[in-house]
Amino acid sequence: MQTDNIEDVVDAAELEAKTADWKLSPEREAMIDDLQSRYPTKKSTLLPVLWAIQEQEGWISREWMAYAARRCDAALSHVLGVVSFYTMYHRKPVGKYHVQVCRNISCHIRGAPKIIAAVEEKLGLQNGGVSSCGKWSLEHVECLAGCSWAPVMQINRTLHENLGPDEALKILGELE
Amino acid sequence: MTKVLFEHRGKKGVDTFEGWEAVGGFEALKRALKMKPEEVIEEVKTSGLRGRGGAGFPAGVKWGFVPKNTGKPIYLCINADESEPGTCKDRVLMEELPFMCLEGALIAAYAIGAKLAFWYIRGEFDLSERVMSRAVEVLREKGVIGKDVFGSGWDIDLVVHRGAGAYICGEETGLISSVEGDKGQPKIKPPFPAVEGAFRCPTIVNNVETLAAVPWIINKGGLAYAALGTEKSKGTKLFSVSGAVAKPGVYEVEMGYPMHDLIMNECGGPQFGKTLKAIIPGGSSVPVLPAKIAMEMNLDYESVQAAGSLLGSGGVIVIDESQSMPELLAILGRFYAHESCGQCTPCREGTGWGSRLLDRVAEGEGKDQDMPTLERIARFMTGTTICFLASSMAMPIQSFFKHFRHEFEALLPVTTEAKGD
């Protein structure tokens, strides 16, 4: 069981002890070793280390934050601050398909509200929601730099452009 | 019209190492490595190339600020954290011409004396990140990134550093904080990064589009670049056009090109033949202009400023008569409130408070003093913070009110006039 509530008070020493021998997959450990030989300080590899954790685990628990702190020579409180600052690090599990729909100005002008409404209805989710089966999560996001091909939505890492509500629903349908 | 950045766009295989070599790629880097670093800087100064991320500062002058012989390492950070709403040009350069971007970065690294460069790429970017990471791998295999590049005795390493979803990391000192493994909070200037930046060492931060022009400048000469564009805005610029036009897209034109021609020719005119109402010419942070004024101006730093806005990042957002200006401003307000990093009070409180007021005005639930209050918030947010994010919300508020006041007043209980306090 790993800790997902950022407000939970967790004893740092306890976390450190619990995760003292934790390691990522050998390829990821090798990738981090390589980066740490190139970057000027260990702490500066914190963002890539957090990405490696999230790619492996799907989200970043307090336990894995303790691992990152040890790996990057940083305080756990520093890692907690960094993880909560950047919106793409998930502090709770998200759906297998994390759907991000852009709500910013260029997408809005080209019909984003219709895409958002269609996707919300189809998934039965509101902004920030995760489906009970764990398959879907939905987030309204700010500009994804797809402005000239608006409106756009991103599912996990894949960007879908020039959408109409029908195209958006078709893409979701294919993942069902 | 001469193309600098898109000269080779769309040619078969130009996104591969061999394809880039086939169109004369890496000739500029080889040429630069035979020059003295100061000579490279001088050539870029001659070209008049200005920073394309939004600020428009002359690139060669910036490079010249790096102090010599401090004994400290020097770093280059490439700003590929493209997040300004309406801007999507760097993505095109990276996805379609990755080796041109990298060649420009390597020339810059050589010119400033950097041994390590960080390619800071936006966390949300998928294809661009994969293309750039692969291109860096290829250059390592070919020895173009590594020791003794092309037998010159010069060593360079470059890493792709992925952001994680924070608009503020596009601000150069925020980007540096993020590279250092911290929250992406901007730092007070001075010291300027060129003197004391990443890891408290001299650091140059350049936008992708700026660096992408450098190989052409080294190949054809600074004077050839300076011959393009206008007297003060040299060269070409990418404009990413979005919104209510028939053919949105990323277009390269010479500085000084008429906005009218960009919209009517390149972009095929308004979408569905509607009447245009407004244009935001340089990304969401710059003042909006009525379409009538915008359509009469030319696209260079000075002309756009004379018309009452800024060229910014070249993100042209086109708005037609079907859009509600209060609704669009509320969207921008939410964006800045979401992206404020939280360290300066006028920004943290001003963006949040402003956004809540804009939301209720747009929903028709505004109070009679909401507009004067928003104007006061905008005034107190300007110039009172470490970075420009707060001003980037103030400028839209002030310009939307200036040109489209009637649309806001129509949603409010009584007509309001700004108080002069």
Side-chain angles (χ1 to χ4, degrees), chain B residues 310-337:
Chain B
L310 295 162
L311 192 75
S313 60
V316 178
I317 305 167
V318 183
I319 299 162
D320 70 21
E321 60 193 348
S322 68
Q323 299 295 321
S324 147
M325 298 308 273
E327 196 177 352
L328 295 184
L329 185 58
I331 288 171
L332 295 182
R334 280 201 288 270
F335 170 70
Y336 291 105

Side-chain angles (χ1 to χ4, degrees), chain B residues 146-377:
Chain B
K147 303 264 180 229
D148 189 24
V149 177
F150 293 131
S152 63
W154 177 64
D155 306 338
I156 182 69
D157 194 12
L158 185 148
V159 291
V160 176
H161 186 95
R162 194 174 157 210
Y167 168 72
I168 197 57
C169 292
E171 198 278 344
E172 63 176 358
T173 57
L175 184 149
I176 286 170
S177 296
S178 188
V179 163
E180 290 172 333
D182 294 338
K183 291 185 255 188
Q185 292 181 319
K187 304 178 194 197
I188 291 171
K189 296 188 257 193
F192 286 90
V195 177
E196 193 180 304
F199 312 99
R200 308 197 68 173
C201 296
T203 304
I204 291 294
V205 184
N206 281 140
N207 176 256
V208 173
E209 187 189 345
T210 315
L211 294 175
V214 171
W216 194 96
I217 290 168
I218 297 299
N219 277 328
K220 311 257 164 84
L223 285 173
Y225 189 84
L228 305 172
T230 69
E231 195 198 331
K232 287 186 177 161
S233 299
K234 315 276 195 203
T236 66
K237 170 93 189 83
L238 299 185
F239 290 93
S240 52
V241 187
S242 65
V245 290
K247 290 188 290 174
V250 179
Y251 302 98
E252 179 179 25
V253 296
E254 269 187 50
M255 285 285 194
Y257 191 68
M259 174 73 98
H260 176 271
D261 293 4
L262 179 70
I263 301 294
M264 300 311 291
N265 301 340
E266 271 78 5
C267 300
Q271 192 188 19
F272 311 129
K274 288 199 172 149
T275 308
L276 297 185
K277 178 156 74 179
I279 296 180
I280 306 176
S284 66
S285 304
V286 310
V288 67
L289 293 171
K292 214 172 186 181
I293 296 176
M295 289 294 267
E296 280 170 15
M297 72 187 185
N298 293 338
L299 291 163
D300 57 81
Y301 294 104
E302 291 71 29
S303 302
V304 178
Q305 203 166 350
S309 188
L310 295 162
L311 192 75
S313 60
V316 178
I317 305 167
V318 183
I319 299 162
D320 70 21
E321 60 193 348
S322 68
Q323 299 295 321
S324 147
M325 298 308 273
E327 196 177 352
L328 295 184
L329 185 58
I331 288 171
L332 295 182
R334 280 201 288 270
F335 170 70
Y336 291 105
H338 182 260
E339 300 297 345
S340 173
C341 86
Q343 61 178 341
C344 306
T345 309
C347 178
R348 183 185 63 243
E349 301 305 320
T351 54
W353 184 15
S355 169
R356 288 193 296 278
L357 292 184
L358 289 171
D359 272 345
R360 80 179 187 197
V361 170
E363 284 157 14
E365 286 163 15
K367 306 266 192 301
D368 61 350
Q369 285 303 303
D370 281 359
M371 284 186 78
T373 305
L374 278 159
E375 282 167 334
R376 260 201 317 277
I377 294 172

Side-chain angles (χ1 to χ4, degrees), chain A:
Chain A
M1 186 65 193
Q2 294 178 30
T3 316
D4 68 355
N5 191 345
I6 198 136
E7 274 80 36
D8 280 355
V9 178
V10 181
D11 184 66
E14 215 173 275
L15 278 180
E16 275 160 26
K18 182 176 173 187
T19 60
D21 58 352
W22 284 29
K23 271 187 165 45
L24 288 165
S25 67
E27 308 79 60
R28 292 193 172 88
E29 289 292 337
M31 186 273 293
I32 294 169
D33 286 339
D34 175 59
L35 285 182
Q36 292 193 334
S37 74
R38 298 173 192 274
Y39 277 61
T41 63
K42 278 193 170 180
K43 196 192 80 181
S44 53
T45 62
L46 180 55
L47 267 69
V49 167
L50 292 171
W51 274 123
I53 294 169
Q54 185 158 303
E55 273 157 21
Q56 178 174 304
E57 301 290 314
W59 62 294
I60 304 172
S61 65
R62 292 288 282 268
E63 282 77 0
W64 279 108
M65 291 184 209
Y67 160 88
R70 171 163 54 82
R71 200 72 169 84
C72 298
D73 264 347
L76 179 57
S77 58
H78 177 80
V79 176
L80 194 55
V82 168
V83 172
S84 58
F85 182 85
Y86 295 95
T87 54
M88 292 182 76
Y89 293 133
H90 304 307
R91 287 169 281 152
K92 290 181 179 182
V94 293
K96 180 181 171 198
Y97 297 112
H98 185 57
V99 182
Q100 300 175 288
V101 192
C102 177
R103 65 173 178 198
N104 213 298
I105 186 163
S106 300
C107 283
H108 179 90
I109 294 172
R110 290 186 84 89
K114 284 184 194 144
I115 310 288
I116 292 176
V119 171
E120 282 184 343
E121 196 196 331
K122 166 98 178 166
L123 299 179
L125 293 173
Q126 297 289 309
N127 186 16
V130 185
S131 66
S132 54
C133 61
K135 187 160 182 180
W136 303 99
S137 48
L138 177 67
E139 202 181 350
H140 301 174
V141 295
E142 301 301 348
C143 187
L144 289 165
C147 315
S148 291
W149 309 276
V152 303
M153 76 173 174
Q154 187 160 2
I155 303 179
N156 295 344
R157 291 206 65 185
T158 310
L159 188 65
H160 301 277
E161 301 173 324
N162 289 315
L163 296 172
D166 294 343
E167 284 96 350
L169 292 179
K170 186 160 167 269
I171 292 162
L172 295 178
E174 281 163 4
L175 296 172
E176 271 177 335

Side-chain angles (χ1 to χ4, degrees), chain B residues 112-144:
Chain B
I112 63 169
K115 297 278 191 289
L116 178 59
F118 296 94
W119 195 282
Y120 190 97
I121 194 158
R122 196 175 163 189
E124 285 88 345
F125 280 173
D126 176 32
L127 183 59
S128 327
E129 194 269 335
R130 281 186 286 132
V131 170
M132 292 314 298
S133 294
R134 178 69 197 130
V136 169
E137 252 174 65
V138 169
L139 289 189
R140 283 209 185 119
E141 284 160 18
K142 304 273 183 192
V144 182

